[in-house]
Amino acid sequence: MQIEISKRTDGSVVLKLRRRDGTEDWQKQQGPQALFFPLHDMTHYVVETELAIRDAFYGLVASGWSMEDTTGKGRRGPLPAPALFVESVVGSLDTERASGSRWTADEFNENTARFAAQSGRPAPRRLTDDELARIRKRRAELFAAWHELPAGRTLELTFPDPD
């Protein structure tokens, strides 16, 4: 699936996902959401690709889910367990980024467990130091590419198609 994150000249951001069959889904963010969501969406991409998880946000959309369905409140119903795991990892990475700190793997895993508990779910599997380091490194590379991208241009990524 092709992923396009476009930085518009009006300050908005458009995320467009083009599936192998040519169908597309997209959403536009403006104002404060245009500052938050591109980084959040890139974090999803990195977590899903680095951990080879194919049934979370991007994998679900690639297999035909709409973006709206990936909220777990759409016509497809609740999200599968791997998608909930990715949501907890991405949420914890977003929280870490907002706090301006860098957590140890133990602190990170404690936060993902707390995030899951608040939603009434069991603690997710723990990330290793190596996995967390790979995720942070790749995410930093994408964030740098995004920050350097001029308005009116698009960052393009490829997500593996479902088997």
Side-chain angles (χ1 to χ4, degrees):
M1 178 172 68
Q2 289 305 117
I3 300 167
E4 298 177 359
I5 307 173
S6 299
K7 191 182 282 189
R8 300 292 178 97
T9 57
D10 66 359
S12 66
V13 174
V14 174
L15 172 65
K16 182 161 65 169
L17 307 177
R18 185 176 304 111
R19 297 176 192 90
R20 181 176 25 184
D21 66 6
T23 59
E24 297 179 349
D25 204 349
W26 65 277
Q27 60 183 211
K28 182 177 183 178
Q29 304 293 341
Q30 299 179 61
Q33 292 182 329
L35 298 173
F36 172 79
F37 273 101
L39 302 178
H40 175 82
D41 294 338
M42 284 180 249
T43 302
H44 260 279
Y45 174 80
V46 170
V47 170
E48 293 177 43
T49 56
E50 287 295 325
L51 300 179
I53 296 174
R54 301 294 178 251
D55 45 0
F57 177 74
Y58 286 111
L60 294 173
V61 173
S63 69
W65 287 45
S66 71
M67 285 189 203
E68 183 178 315
D69 286 338
T70 65
T71 64
K73 299 173 187 167
R75 63 181 175 84
R76 294 192 184 251
L79 293 175
L84 295 172
F85 169 68
V86 168
E87 290 299 331
S88 71
V89 173
V90 171
S92 292
L93 287 164
D94 285 343
T95 300
E96 179 186 64
R97 179 170 47 93
S99 73
S101 62
R102 188 175 188 100
W103 299 336
T104 66
D106 285 340
E107 290 169 329
F108 183 87
N109 287 314
E110 288 171 16
N111 195 67
T112 59
R114 190 171 34 258
F115 184 78
Q118 289 171 352
S119 301
R121 296 188 317 271
R125 79 164 179 83
R126 296 174 64 83
L127 289 180
T128 66
D129 288 323
D130 179 63
E131 288 172 326
L132 194 52
R134 285 192 344 255
I135 288 167
R136 286 176 172 149
K137 180 179 185 290
R138 179 67 177 129
R139 185 179 71 154
E141 293 166 355
L142 287 181
F143 283 8
W146 177 252
H147 291 301
E148 293 171 9
L149 188 74
R153 302 297 300 265
T154 299
L155 179 67
E156 297 182 8
L157 304 167
T158 301
F159 189 84
D161 286 322
D163 296 329

